Amino acid sequence: MKTLRFISILAAVALLAAIQPARADEGMWLPALISQRIGDMQAKGFKLTAEDIYSVNQASLKDAVVLFGRGCTGELVSGDGLIFTNHHCGYGYIQKHSSVEHDYLKDGFWALSRAEELPNPGLTVSFLEYMQDVTAQVLEGYSEGMSEEQRAQIVRQNSKKLIDAAVAPGKGLTASVEALFYGNQYFLFVFRVYSDVRLVGAPPSSIGKFGGETDNWMWPRHTGDFSIFRIYADANNAPAAYSPDNKPYQPKKFFKVSRAGVKEGDFTFVYGCPGSTREYIYSEDVRYTAEVSDPHKIALRTTRLEKMKKYMSQSQAVRIQYSAKYASVANAWKKWQGEAKGINKMKTVATKKAYEARFRQWASGTRYEGLLDRIEALIAQRNPYYFAYEYYNETVRTIELVQMASAFKAAFPSLDVIKSRAEDFFKDYYRPIDEEIFTAMMTAFGANIDQSLQPQFYKDQIAKYGSVEAWKDAVFAGSVFTSKEKILALKAEDLETLKTDPAWEISEAFRNWYNETVFPVLSSTNRAISLAYRDYMQGQMDFEKDKDFYPDANLTLRVAYGYVAGYSPADGIDYRPVSTLKGIIEKDNPDIFDYNIPQVLRDIYAQGGHEAQPVCFLATNHTTGGNSGSPVLNADGNLIGINFDRVWEGTMSDIAFDPEFCRNISLDVRYLLFIVDKVGHASYLFDEMVFAD
Ligand code: ARG
Ligand code: GLU
């Protein structure tokens, strides 16, 4: 009887394991320490070893991953230095090469030979040579009881020594020491930086940015978000400034491309450079984000977006002027909505509070006793100032006239620089939008910043003019910064008069207020909080001895793994994890800018046979901003996709990961191949790639 029951339990467990896909995985793991996770990865389907992911002795997958520019990831896909990244990561470079005659953003760009590839001054890609735990060296000379200033000085000095020693022998090497776990651990990262990186190909924006702001952070998604570059090196394969004599870089390792495709449940992992997460913060910090900061910032941005949209829909010229500005305001706006909603839905604050109650109990009598009360008090002390800082950024500093005044202040007294900034500025300036934003933002500032914290200047202006509206009229009528002609006509002897311009005065007065009233408290409390968080982090690790902790993201190389999966965003809706060309044709609409596909794509589709062409897919990998362009790999370590987004219902994963809702969105590499071939007619690029299947 007993045995029978035992067997049936076993059977039930086995059955459950068979029908349930492996559980989603939270975590962004350090490649050098991946051996702590490799067992779990292999249990979930991964077929390679820890040494394959990261090794200093032999070529490994890490040698095929680069930090692209300053905030994206890219991956090597050929023995001749070819790399893939996102369209939105290459955007600025594609734009710089564009002119009225050659609009590569609009029409796409395809180098049909290596001679046609376009250099990009300022663009670098960085390879990680190695990473190393240097905690002991960094803290050498530090002892318990020293002040935080002393500690910081020791960390600085020791880090500098380590960095100097690491970069001394090499050419093109840079290094940094990064604090992990709030400074409980330090790692040395040594990079080799290549600066001759050329544009090879990019689809038209109507493919690379298909869906625009409408589909951004959303599923179902159909964006062909890729661009292609090539790294060049000197005759010794070493980094070198651009030269026509440079040769395609010969990598230690590059990814093979898999055309086998993905299906629900397949193991995937993402190898890239996530920018920033805050997984271990105190409940009150989470509450501030979800209940105060996000909602206020969302409301302010909703207003700004409405103002822009109103004028953009009335004029094609204004639409072009403001589309990039609109996109950048809308991106975080949408992300914050998902973040706040996700935190509330997950009850993260309550979960953290319950955890903190257990922590407090455990901590009594240890060196952590009282720590959480201290953190709570510090946060309460900081938050009014933090709020003022965030509010200042999202109101006063979003007024373009004030931005221009700040730019002039920075350029002062160079008349040439001031004039060239004015040229740039007015190209994309539409005064009625700015006037409305001024009124709305200054009104919100007065309504939401506590009287006691408001700058005297602000109160004086309101008293003087009687209303924000009247103040606004006076500023716009009285400022020379509203007129390009007046600025371009400025003479050296007029320079001093700029300082009494009403826009300059606003910029100056608010900056002084920030420096004198907000910053001192904000920076000292922030320092104290990070210090307390260092203890709390160590405390959490001591409290949960059996848990594997991953450090918060800080743009260092990480591995996230999971599996291909859809999700249910709301009752009654189930999202499948794969999108296809059929869906692009369904969305296609020449009258809707975001959904107007190029005619060539319609023609290709009309030929038939491409309905099932895969475009994007969803998976459970834990990613964040900076993971854009990251290689998405299968169980064999072959390239199946390029990461470019998350679903908005899962954006709280920067603070708390919910396996039910957190999904990263990837371009299926087969869509890239399809576009390169059919739209770019650049299938010659396939000759240098290696296909795994
Ligand atoms: N949401 C993606 C990422 O942060 C893509 C952003 C670019 N695309 C766009 N439609 N704005 O950041
Ligand atoms: N699009 C983001 C980036 O530029 C990735 C999306 C996210 O996961 O935040 O890195």
Side-chain angles (χ1 to χ4, degrees):
M1 185 67 200
K2 240 190 178 154
T3 342
L4 227 152
R5 193 155 80 223
F6 182 65
I7 287 173
S8 69
I9 288 171
L10 266 188
V13 168
L15 191 70
L16 250 161
I19 55 174
Q20 273 199 333
R23 251 182 60 81
D25 283 284
E26 168 184 352
M28 302 170 168
W29 307 96
L30 282 174
L33 304 180
I34 201 66
S35 54
Q36 74 184 116
R37 303 300 301 179
I38 198 72
D40 190 50
M41 289 176 78
Q42 288 165 343
K44 287 168 178 167
F46 187 51
K47 298 209 189 90
L48 307 180
T49 64
E51 276 279 294
D52 292 324
I53 291 178
Y54 178 92
S55 169
V56 281
N57 306 313
Q58 63 191 49
S60 60
L61 296 181
K62 77 138 171 60
D63 299 310
V65 183
V66 294
L67 176 68
F68 183 91
R70 258 166 262 126
C72 280
T73 307
E75 54 274 7
L76 264 296
V77 290
S78 93
D80 276 340
L82 198 66
I83 48 178
F84 293 163
T85 187
N86 288 149
H87 187 262
H88 78 261
C89 296
Y91 198 86
Y93 305 101
I94 305 166
Q95 185 171 43
K96 281 202 192 110
H97 291 298
S98 298
S99 61
V100 181
E101 299 84 59
H102 307 283
D103 190 345
Y104 298 140
L105 273 184
K106 179 166 164 292
D107 302 324
F109 170 79
W110 307 98
L112 292 183
S113 70
R114 291 191 183 168
E116 287 181 20
E117 296 172 355
L118 301 173
N120 300 285
L123 173 60
T124 58
V125 297
S126 309
F127 288 89
L128 180 69
E129 291 275 304
Y130 63 92
M131 63 174 74
Q132 193 186 334
D133 188 337
V134 289
T135 314
Q137 293 97 306
V138 167
L139 294 179
E140 201 180 304
Y142 171 75
S143 57
E144 201 80 33
M146 282 184 178
S147 74
E148 192 50 28
E149 278 68 33
Q150 287 172 307
R151 187 185 191 272
Q153 201 187 354
I154 287 170
V155 167
R156 239 188 340 267
Q157 284 168 351
N158 288 337
S159 297
K160 184 166 184 314
K161 268 190 239 154
L162 286 163
I163 290 168
D164 289 347
V167 298
K171 196 176 161 199
L173 291 182
T174 64
S176 66
V177 170
E178 303 288 344
L180 301 170
F181 298 117
Y182 294 92
N184 284 297
Q185 203 175 14
Y186 291 92
F187 260 75
L188 172 70
F189 291 82
V190 179
F191 295 97
R192 194 175 295 275
V193 182
Y194 284 80
S195 52
D196 185 353
V197 184
R198 304 185 196 170
L199 178 63
V200 175
S205 291
S206 51
I207 290 173
K209 208 175 181 303
F210 178 79
E213 295 319 303
T214 316
D215 284 6
N216 192 23
W217 300 110
M218 309 267 278
W219 189 259
R221 190 65 160 275
H222 299 89
T223 312
D225 200 344
F226 74 90
S227 57
I228 305 176
F229 288 79
R230 190 187 304 282
I231 307 168
Y232 281 80
D234 70 11
N236 301 317
N237 208 31
Y242 168 79
S243 156
D245 301 331
N246 284 346
K247 307 261 178 311
Y249 168 69
Q250 311 293 299
K252 284 190 234 170
K253 183 89 185 173
F254 62 89
F255 291 110
K256 291 183 201 161
V257 173
S258 167
R259 290 172 297 193
V262 297
K263 59 176 186 330
E264 182 116 36
D266 282 356
F267 177 86
T268 65
F269 75 110
V270 175
Y271 208 150
C273 311
S276 164
T277 58
R278 301 183 295 150
E279 310 286 346
Y280 307 105
I281 55 178
Y282 186 68
S283 57
E284 186 53 24
D285 242 354
V286 179
R287 195 194 64 77
Y288 172 77
T289 299
E291 292 176 22
V292 182
S293 171
D294 282 350
H296 274 283
K297 292 188 297 191
I298 293 162
L300 290 168
R301 288 196 177 206
T302 303
T303 305
R304 282 162 65 208
L305 290 169
E306 278 166 8
K307 307 273 176 218
M308 289 188 216
K309 198 166 208 157
K310 181 169 105 191
Y311 291 101
M312 286 165 81
S313 62
Q314 288 167 12
S315 148
Q316 178 72 358
V318 176
R319 198 190 57 68
I320 292 168
Q321 284 182 315
Y322 276 75
S323 67
K325 294 177 191 174
Y326 189 93
S328 88
V329 175
N331 195 42
W333 168 76
K334 207 159 177 180
K335 182 197 154 164
W336 291 328
Q337 294 178 47
E339 181 173 82
K341 191 175 158 186
I343 286 169
N344 292 332
K345 196 166 187 169
M346 279 179 84
K347 302 192 174 28
T348 306
V349 175
T351 312
K352 288 237 181 210
K353 279 196 190 303
Y355 173 83
E356 288 153 6
R358 293 198 302 279
F359 182 91
R360 275 192 168 85
Q361 222 164 28
W362 167 84
S364 102
T366 73
R367 73 182 182 98
Y368 301 111
E369 186 168 330
L371 175 62
L372 294 186
D373 297 336
R374 229 169 45 242
I375 291 177
E376 182 147 334
L378 282 166
I379 291 175
Q381 203 184 330
R382 177 199 58 185
N383 276 2
Y385 295 87
Y386 190 36
F387 183 73
Y389 160 71
E390 292 201 285
Y391 221 78
Y392 166 53
N393 275 338
E394 289 287 326
T395 55
V396 181
R397 298 189 71 194
T398 64
I399 299 164
E400 291 181 80
L401 202 60
V402 176
Q403 286 170 359
M404 186 163 57
S406 307
F408 286 1
K409 270 164 56 186
F412 198 86
S414 166
L415 206 50
D416 288 347
V417 181
I418 287 178
K419 288 182 182 180
S420 78
R421 297 220 165 135
E423 285 282 3
D424 281 351
F425 179 82
F426 282 101
K427 194 160 54 66
D428 290 331
Y429 185 64
Y430 189 63
R431 178 170 157 174
I433 293 182
D434 204 28
E435 290 198 26
E436 288 199 19
I437 287 182
F438 182 105
T439 305
M441 295 301 108
M442 286 300 195
T443 304
F445 186 89
N448 288 288
I449 296 299
D450 198 81
Q451 283 272 348
S452 65
L453 260 183
Q454 288 177 10
Q456 191 54 43
F457 172 82
Y458 178 84
K459 296 183 204 171
D460 291 347
Q461 302 306 302
I462 303 295
K464 178 168 166 194
Y465 293 101
S467 72
V468 173
E469 187 73 23
W471 177 28
K472 182 266 292 177
D473 287 342
V475 170
F476 279 80
S479 175
V480 292
F481 300 168
T482 55
S483 158
K484 181 171 158 186
E485 289 64 39
K486 283 189 196 157
I487 294 169
L488 295 184
L490 280 177
K491 300 201 181 47
E493 58 268 30
D494 306 326
L495 269 174
E496 280 303 311
T497 65
L498 293 184
K499 295 185 175 171
T500 53
D501 190 278
W504 183 293
E505 278 178 352
I506 293 174
S507 160
E508 185 75 8
F510 274 92
R511 178 102 302 241
N512 290 341
W513 161 77
Y514 174 74
N515 285 338
E516 287 154 19
T517 306
V518 181
F519 180 76
V521 184
L522 182 60
S523 69
S524 71
T525 47
N526 262 338
R527 256 202 314 276
I529 290 170
S530 2
L531 188 60
Y533 271 160
R534 191 199 303 147
D535 281 344
Y536 184 36
M537 189 72 241
Q538 187 58 54
Q540 293 181 61
M541 293 166 115
D542 292 346
F543 177 47
E544 292 178 278
K545 279 260 178 267
D546 296 333
K547 180 174 161 180
D548 259 350
F549 283 82
Y550 59 94
D552 272 327
N554 59 353
L555 214 58
T556 57
L557 204 55
R558 303 295 176 93
V559 170
Y561 61 93
Y563 59 95
V564 175
Y567 71 109
S568 167
D571 183 41
I573 309 175
D574 270 320
Y575 282 149
R576 281 184 282 140
V578 172
S579 66
T580 64
L581 195 56
K582 180 164 170 274
I584 294 183
I585 300 299
E586 285 169 0
K587 284 179 179 171
D588 177 27
N589 185 337
D591 297 329
I592 299 176
F593 180 79
D594 286 347
Y595 290 147
N596 185 12
I597 61 172
Q599 187 55 38
V600 51
L601 203 52
R602 291 185 191 115
D603 296 342
I604 294 165
Y605 193 79
Q607 290 161 11
H610 299 301
E611 293 77 7
Q613 169 62 47
V615 176
C616 295
F617 64 89
L618 291 175
T620 63
N621 307 293
H622 190 180
T623 56
T624 187
N627 270 124
S628 276
S630 298
V632 184
L633 308 159
N634 67 10
D636 297 306
N638 298 323
L639 189 73
I640 51 174
I642 304 172
N643 183 75
F644 70 95
D645 211 357
R646 274 174 294 167
V647 299
W648 74 283
E649 297 94 339
T651 48
M652 69 292 192
S653 65
D654 292 349
I655 290 175
F657 188 91
D658 184 344
E660 228 185 288
F661 294 101
C662 293
R663 298 289 179 272
N664 64 313
I665 308 180
S666 306
L667 172 75
D668 190 308
V669 74
R670 293 170 299 169
Y671 187 54
L672 178 153
L673 300 173
F674 177 86
I675 296 297
V676 167
D677 179 23
K678 300 272 195 282
V679 175
H681 305 292
S683 60
Y684 78 93
L685 290 171
F686 302 164
D687 299 342
E688 62 184 283
M689 298 181 200
V690 174
F691 293 98
D693 40 44

